[in-house]
Amino acid sequence: MYEHKEAIKEFVTQHREEMLKFLIDLVNLEGRYDEKEAVERVRDFYQDALEKEGFSCHVIEVAENRAGILVAELGKERAGKPIILEGHLDTVHKTGAFGCVNPCKVDGDKIYGPGVVDMKGGMVIALYIAKALNAIGFDECPIKIIAVCDEEADHVGNDGDRILTENCVGGGIGLSFEVAGEDNCLATQ
């Protein structure tokens, strides 16, 4: 993967504005974990972007009152263990908590809004990692993106934890795009 580092870096640099627009659109789609239809809209928006990139997607339902887990796979037929990129699309904040229709605000080099850091920003990074790998012709192993939709509720009352674990089994490497601590160290648990 290191031999692709510069090409990936170049791709990200060239697509910076596109990434920012996608993040703004994703953040403006609000959805607290217990607002099933709102979170499904967020999930569907993200799924659409994955499918445009060639991912095969399916949703695993977890509970009647929660949006299901999105599992997206690219290059399933490829040799090697998959790269697994995982995160969540729900937020802590109820829809409308910021008092406006489009709560995402850009102020200089800072972005504000529900889920910008925890963790829609991370899910944009996951998508653009896959886009960059596609753009450089990477085909050494499958890529799997798992988007959870009720992480902020800790999967209480459903099998979300089990489903997430089962879909990570067999991975060669897994990265969760949850926020790191204030010291910017890699979070390992």
Side-chain angles (χ1 to χ4, degrees):
M1 193 75 100
Y2 291 110
E3 67 268 19
H4 305 298
K5 181 180 174 183
E6 290 307 314
I8 291 169
K9 203 172 179 180
E10 180 63 27
F11 178 90
V12 170
T13 300
Q14 290 176 355
H15 292 84
R16 181 179 164 83
E17 291 304 314
E18 180 184 319
M19 291 172 67
L20 176 60
K21 182 185 179 329
F22 189 83
L23 175 60
I24 291 167
D25 291 345
L26 190 63
V27 170
N28 280 333
L29 289 170
E30 296 181 80
R32 183 176 138 130
Y33 62 87
D34 57 356
E35 299 172 333
K36 182 180 180 181
E37 289 179 5
V39 179
E40 286 174 335
R41 281 191 294 278
V42 177
R43 185 196 65 211
D44 292 348
F45 177 78
Y46 194 76
Q47 179 176 338
D48 183 59
L50 289 168
E51 288 174 343
K52 285 178 181 168
E53 199 56 36
F55 278 82
S56 171
C57 299
H58 68 279
V59 174
I60 302 171
E61 297 300 334
V62 296
E64 189 175 307
N65 62 342
R66 297 280 192 265
I69 295 174
L70 171 63
V71 178
E73 296 177 271
L74 179 68
K76 193 174 182 176
E77 70 289 345
R78 297 175 186 166
K81 295 180 177 185
I83 297 169
I84 299 173
L85 310 174
E86 179 274 333
H88 66 88
L89 295 169
D90 61 311
T91 64
V92 171
H93 307 284
K94 283 194 169 287
T95 297
F98 284 68
C100 55
V101 176
N102 292 317
C104 190
K105 301 290 179 231
V106 179
D107 183 11
D109 63 349
K110 294 188 179 175
I111 304 171
Y112 302 90
V116 165
V117 175
D118 184 17
M119 83 181 283
K120 291 179 179 180
M123 294 306 287
V124 172
I125 293 168
L127 171 64
Y128 277 83
I129 287 171
K131 284 177 166 278
L133 291 172
N134 257 352
I136 66 169
F138 177 85
D139 64 358
E140 296 169 27
C141 62
I143 302 169
K144 185 185 241 186
I145 295 180
I146 304 171
V148 176
C149 294
D150 77 331
E151 187 271 349
E152 296 296 356
D154 293 327
H155 313 295
V156 173
N158 65 57
D159 290 332
D161 289 349
R162 180 188 55 78
I163 293 166
L164 180 58
T165 301
E166 287 173 359
N167 278 277
C168 289
V169 169
I173 185 170
L175 298 171
S176 176
F177 289 88
E178 191 65 63
V179 180
E182 289 184 35
D183 59 1
N184 285 324
C185 286
L186 181 66
T188 59
Q189 56 181 317

